[in-house]
Amino acid sequence: MIRPSKLFVAAALSVALALAQHPRPRDGGPGTPPDPATMIQMRVSHLTVLLSLTSAQQTQATTIFTNALTASQSVQSSLHTDRDTLAAAVKANNTAAIDQVSVTIGTLQGQLTAINAKSDAAFYAILTPDQQAKYDAMPHGGPGGGFGPPGMGPS
């Protein structure tokens, strides 16, 4: 059985891993994060090492995570806009708008959680029983999705 809370933690760890592997510029600045396609490829590569994914599973995983990214993009955009709206409502002390936008943000975050959980479920379903056992035995419940590009949290 997939444990959503562990998958959420795993998604965050996957993003951290992906970002940690991106080289920084020579001046020591923060650099730019990898693009979503690169993050998905890095995630699939990481999962391949941990779970010995076949090339067919790698292709399926890439498709699953790409579809989740695509599904989450409009939600992410709306979430970003609503956070700006919330910040403006706070500055204006507009409590009615704060209440309304907060509910909307909660709904959008719920939609992102569902998108990520469904991609995690689809990924888990392509694993063999041995791979599922390895995945389940990982201390953080396995490197599941997330965020957004699977693995990227809300903006």
Side-chain angles (χ1 to χ4, degrees), residues 54-111:
T54 65
S55 57
Q57 287 173 314
Q58 291 172 36
T59 300
Q60 289 176 295
T62 300
T63 299
I64 289 166
F65 300 146
T66 300
N67 290 343
L69 169 65
T70 301
S72 70
Q73 286 176 329
S74 67
V75 178
Q76 288 280 7
S77 177
S78 295
L79 193 54
H80 181 75
T81 300
D82 286 342
R83 285 187 177 140
D84 291 344
T85 301
L86 180 62
V90 167
K91 289 177 183 176
N93 192 25
N94 184 342
T95 57
I98 290 170
D99 288 341
Q100 179 184 3
V101 175
S102 295
V103 168
T104 302
I105 288 171
T107 299
L108 292 170
Q109 289 181 332
Q111 290 172 2

Side-chain angles (χ1 to χ4, degrees), residues 16-153:
L17 175 67
L19 294 175
Q21 292 178 354
H22 190 68
R24 295 192 179 275
R26 291 179 194 250
D27 67 358
T32 57
D35 62 271
T38 300
M39 288 182 67
I40 290 169
Q41 186 266 331
M42 291 168 65
R43 181 177 178 193
V44 171
S45 295
H46 183 68
L47 289 166
T48 298
V49 170
L50 295 174
L51 302 172
S52 303
L53 299 179
T54 65
S55 57
Q57 287 173 314
Q58 291 172 36
T59 300
Q60 289 176 295
T62 300
T63 299
I64 289 166
F65 300 146
T66 300
N67 290 343
L69 169 65
T70 301
S72 70
Q73 286 176 329
S74 67
V75 178
Q76 288 280 7
S77 177
S78 295
L79 193 54
H80 181 75
T81 300
D82 286 342
R83 285 187 177 140
D84 291 344
T85 301
L86 180 62
V90 167
K91 289 177 183 176
N93 192 25
N94 184 342
T95 57
I98 290 170
D99 288 341
Q100 179 184 3
V101 175
S102 295
V103 168
T104 302
I105 288 171
T107 299
L108 292 170
Q109 289 181 332
Q111 290 172 2
L112 288 176
T113 299
I115 290 167
N116 290 329
K118 289 173 185 176
S119 73
D120 289 339
F123 173 72
Y124 193 81
I126 70 170
L127 299 177
T128 66
D130 285 344
Q131 290 168 325
Q132 288 176 349
K134 285 180 189 177
Y135 184 91
D136 292 339
M138 292 178 187
H140 46 75
F147 272 337
M152 287 183 63

